[in-house]
Amino acid sequence: ARRGHAATMPVRILRSCDANEELGLLELQGKLHFDDVVEGGARPRVGVFSRDVGGVGKATIHTGRYLIHGERKGLKRPLAVLQKCAKRGSATTYRLVGVVREKTTFAQRPAPIVGTASK
């Protein structure tokens, strides 16, 4: 590549029949702590994600004894989710898994659930 110019490479993208499924991005601002996770063990379950059906853009994660409230927003530029299928020589083939058009941001501190038994 010349200085100041990006190199170009031919890439083939295949559209799969199930590429229309809805994909979203979850953005957690903070750190998750898991007390009962063993190094190299199974991935921990974060919690139950739910979003409003009425379309006001709110979402919630119920994790243990806490609720984390979030907000849905559309992305300025959609993101393509690709899966690498094959590489032959210098040509690479990818399969389009879906398109991400919105993200849900969880920026608030977790709120404790008071007065109810945790699941």
Side-chain angles (χ1 to χ4, degrees):
R2 289 180 283 156
R3 189 172 179 199
H5 296 284
T8 58
M9 177 177 66
V11 175
R12 186 171 179 211
I13 298 176
L14 306 173
R15 183 169 166 27
S16 67
C17 59
D18 60 347
N20 289 331
E21 78 177 271
E22 183 179 351
L23 297 175
L25 209 60
L26 295 180
E27 181 180 331
L28 297 168
Q29 296 180 355
K31 187 173 183 178
L32 296 174
H33 295 278
F34 299 99
D35 295 330
D36 56 352
V37 174
V38 178
E39 184 75 27
R43 291 182 182 165
R45 181 177 171 182
V46 174
V48 177
F49 172 77
S50 61
R51 63 182 205 180
D52 65 329
V53 181
V56 292
K58 301 295 179 188
T60 306
I61 294 178
H62 179 194
T63 176
R65 298 176 304 220
Y66 297 94
L67 285 177
I68 307 171
H69 299 285
E71 186 176 339
R72 286 185 1 231
K73 299 176 186 173
L75 294 175
K76 290 180 183 176
R77 294 185 348 188
L79 302 171
V81 179
L82 304 174
Q83 181 180 25
K84 192 179 212 177
C85 292
K87 183 172 183 169
R88 291 188 186 108
S90 63
T92 304
T93 303
Y94 293 91
R95 182 176 67 90
L96 177 64
V97 176
V99 178
V100 178
R101 298 183 191 281
E102 69 176 33
K103 75 174 180 176
T104 305
T105 303
F106 294 92
Q108 298 179 9
R109 294 182 64 86
I113 299 172
V114 181
T116 60
S118 64
K119 294 180 182 180

